[in-house]
């Protein structure tokens, strides 16, 4: 047996590109909703003492015959000590034998595949001619979401809102090289009420986006609040919008925005069903894509990386 490869962050950054990743993600979302992916809802171990958790995310793609498993830890308080809030590793295995082929540092994969998934959702759910993008948050996902969305659609204006203004302004400075009009806005309400597309990528556990702020036809990619008691959107926001998810099963187990919503919020469909034409969308309505993150997105990304390094 040949040596197990160790694939580092810098290699992943070099080889993984949105032009290949976005179509690969689109394909795997459809396969997932067609039942061609074996993927349990991730299992999670709470580390209460340190207010963190660790999740294990395996998936097998029956069509591609590819298998991988990601381990991700989320320690929100790390941020205050200058440490990364998420730590991730992927084990990439040979599906035929179950043998380990590579371990991959998965920070870049996690950032890019999550943003690529939101970009696909935006392509299918956002209003035609969306002009203004608002991003809530200024961390790793905020940055990758700008690049992925900008790859598919050129927005006339990008507005960043972040709890810590300095970090928000730094992000504006970086992305201003790629977009004519980028600005930091210290009011979440003002940022939201101008936007045709909103991305929420924060570690907040209580709502930061309110229904009363929303413009007609807005599309929201809600990417944070991945625990059953955490929220990013208030009930009014949830109830005004048609709701799409990555996985129904995952969303009903993990999404506080859905589980805690009053009155109970029904899911219109999985994004894979939308792409597959099995679920019709009215783009004039307000829409939410609630993203919890799926192992199959990691499998598809790891497979692209593996093909490049071999
Ligand atoms: N759906 C998915 O597939 C994935 C979702 N995520 C989630 O996306 C979110 C962002 O992740 P990263 O950018 O990697 O984290 P990060 O740690 O790099 O950035 C976190 C951001 O949240 C902000 N923030 C923290 N606490 C806040 C609060 N109470 N109110 C408002 N803002 C607050 C910070 O200022 C920062 O801008 C997290 O909730 C994370 O768990 C991450 C990976 C995959
Ligand atoms: O899918 C993923 O990797 C994650 N979702 C929420 C935190 C990390």
């Amino acid at each position: 047996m040949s040596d197990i490869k160790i694939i580092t962050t810098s290699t992943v950054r070099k080889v993984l590109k949105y032009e290949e990743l976005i179509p690969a993600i689109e394909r795997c979302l459809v396969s997932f909703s067609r039942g061609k992916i074996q993927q349990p809802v991730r299992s999670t171990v709470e580390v209460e003492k340190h207010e963190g958790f660790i999740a294990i995310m395996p998936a097998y793609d029956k069509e591609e015959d590819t298998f991988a498993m990601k381990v991700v830890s989320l320690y929100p308080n790390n941020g205050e000590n200058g440490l990364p809030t998420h730590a991730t590793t992927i084990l990439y295995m040979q599906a035929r034998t179950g043998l380990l082929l590579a371990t991959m540092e998965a920070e870049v994969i996690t950032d890019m595949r999550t943003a690529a998934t939101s970009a696909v959702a935006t392509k299918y759910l956002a209003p035609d001619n969306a002009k203004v993008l608002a991003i809530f948050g200024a961390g790793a996902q905020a940055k990758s979401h700008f690049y992925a969305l900008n790859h598919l659609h050129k927005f006339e204006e990008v507005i960043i809102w972040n709890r810590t203004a300095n970090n928000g302004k730094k992000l504006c400075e970086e992305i201003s090289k790629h977009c004519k009009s980028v600005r930091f806005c210290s009011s979440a309400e003002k940022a939201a009420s101008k936007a045709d597309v909103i991305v929420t990528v924060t570690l907040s556990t209580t709502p930061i986006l309110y229904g009363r702020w929303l413009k007609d036809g807005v599309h929201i990619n809600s990417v944070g609040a991945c625990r059953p008691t955490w929220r990013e959107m208030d009930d009014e926001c949830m109830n005004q919008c048609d709701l799409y998810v990555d996985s129904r099963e995952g969303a009903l187990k993990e999404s506080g925005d859905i589980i805690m919503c009053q009155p109970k919020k029904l899911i219109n469909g999985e994004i894979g069903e939308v792409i597959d034409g099995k679920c019709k969308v009215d783009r004039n309505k307000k829409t939410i894509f609630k993203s919890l993150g799926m192992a199959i997105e990691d499998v598809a990304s790891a497979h692209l990386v593996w093909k490049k390094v071999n």
Side-chain angles (χ1 to χ4, degrees):
M1 195 194 137
S2 58
D3 287 345
I4 295 160
K5 283 203 162 70
I6 295 176
I7 301 177
T8 61
T9 297
S10 64
T11 303
V12 176
R13 189 169 282 125
K14 220 178 290 163
V15 300
L16 197 57
K17 300 289 168 209
Y18 282 119
E19 47 268 40
E20 290 166 331
L21 180 60
I22 291 174
I25 291 291
E26 185 161 336
R27 186 204 66 78
C28 82
L29 293 170
V30 172
S31 294
F32 174 79
S33 294
R34 286 182 182 171
K36 306 281 186 199
I37 306 292
Q38 227 163 304
Q39 176 191 281
V41 176
R42 63 186 151 219
S43 63
T44 304
V45 176
E46 299 283 344
V47 189
E48 276 170 28
K49 183 175 172 186
H50 303 292
E51 296 176 46
F53 72 85
I54 296 168
I56 301 166
M57 305 175 60
Y60 171 55
D61 185 328
K62 297 185 216 173
E63 289 175 329
E64 296 286 305
D65 200 27
T66 46
F67 177 67
M69 178 167 80
K70 184 166 86 177
V71 180
V72 52
S73 67
L74 171 47
Y75 280 60
N77 297 337
N78 276 3
E80 288 153 26
N81 304 316
L83 296 171
T85 50
H86 298 70
T88 50
T89 304
I90 290 176
L91 303 180
Y92 182 76
M93 279 109 153
Q94 189 175 50
R96 184 169 54 80
T97 60
L99 297 179
L100 183 63
L101 297 173
T103 66
M104 297 185 193
E105 290 179 349
E107 280 72 15
V108 172
I109 288 181
T110 302
D111 295 346
M112 290 181 72
R113 64 65 150 156
T114 308
T117 304
S118 297
V120 171
T122 305
K123 176 174 149 191
Y124 285 91
L125 300 175
D128 293 330
N129 240 329
K131 290 186 173 63
V132 180
L133 167 67
I135 301 179
F136 280 31
Q141 290 290 343
K143 195 188 288 190
S144 61
H145 272 72
F146 168 76
Y147 286 115
L149 267 66
N150 188 57
H151 181 82
L152 278 191
H153 182 84
K154 298 295 170 224
F155 289 91
E156 286 178 10
E157 186 178 9
V158 177
I159 308 173
I160 306 288
W161 171 82
N162 192 50
R163 193 179 55 165
T164 317
N166 258 353
N167 294 341
K169 287 176 186 167
K170 261 189 225 154
L171 178 62
C172 287
E173 207 178 302
E174 175 176 337
I175 66 181
S176 62
K177 295 166 207 142
H178 306 275
C179 177
K180 271 185 250 153
S181 171
V182 181
R183 66 185 171 92
F184 177 76
C185 180
S186 57
S187 155
E189 175 173 359
K190 283 189 183 144
S193 59
K194 272 212 80 184
D196 304 301
V197 174
I198 300 173
V199 174
T200 57
V201 273
T202 73
L203 277 164
S204 185
T205 56
T206 53
I208 41 140
L209 182 62
Y210 293 85
R212 61 180 182 274
W213 297 347
L214 301 178
K215 201 167 151 179
D216 281 346
V218 66
H219 169 64
I220 301 162
N221 296 297
S222 168
V223 178
C226 64
R227 303 300 299 142
T229 55
W230 294 4
R231 305 286 304 256
E232 271 196 324
M233 297 172 286
D234 76 340
D235 286 352
E236 194 182 339
C237 178
M238 294 297 291
N239 285 318
Q240 281 187 20
C241 299
D242 283 355
L243 174 64
Y244 301 88
V245 295
D246 42 17
S247 149
R248 265 195 194 80
E249 201 187 355
L252 292 173
K253 188 175 168 210
E254 293 190 324
S255 169
D257 283 318
I258 297 174
I259 295 165
M260 296 171 76
C261 183
Q262 293 294 335
K264 187 174 156 54
K265 180 68 188 168
L266 295 179
I267 294 171
N268 291 70
E270 290 180 345
I271 191 64
E273 295 168 331
V274 171
I275 302 164
D276 211 11
K278 304 255 166 64
C279 176
K280 294 280 166 261
V281 170
D282 182 350
R283 282 171 179 263
N284 294 316
K285 289 174 99 175
K286 297 172 189 159
T287 52
I288 294 169
F289 171 57
K290 182 72 221 180
S291 164
L292 277 311
M294 299 203 291
I296 195 57
E297 299 160 15
D298 299 307
V299 175
S301 312
H303 185 54
L304 285 177
V305 171
W306 177 253
K307 283 194 292 183
K308 286 279 166 65
V309 298
N310 272 282

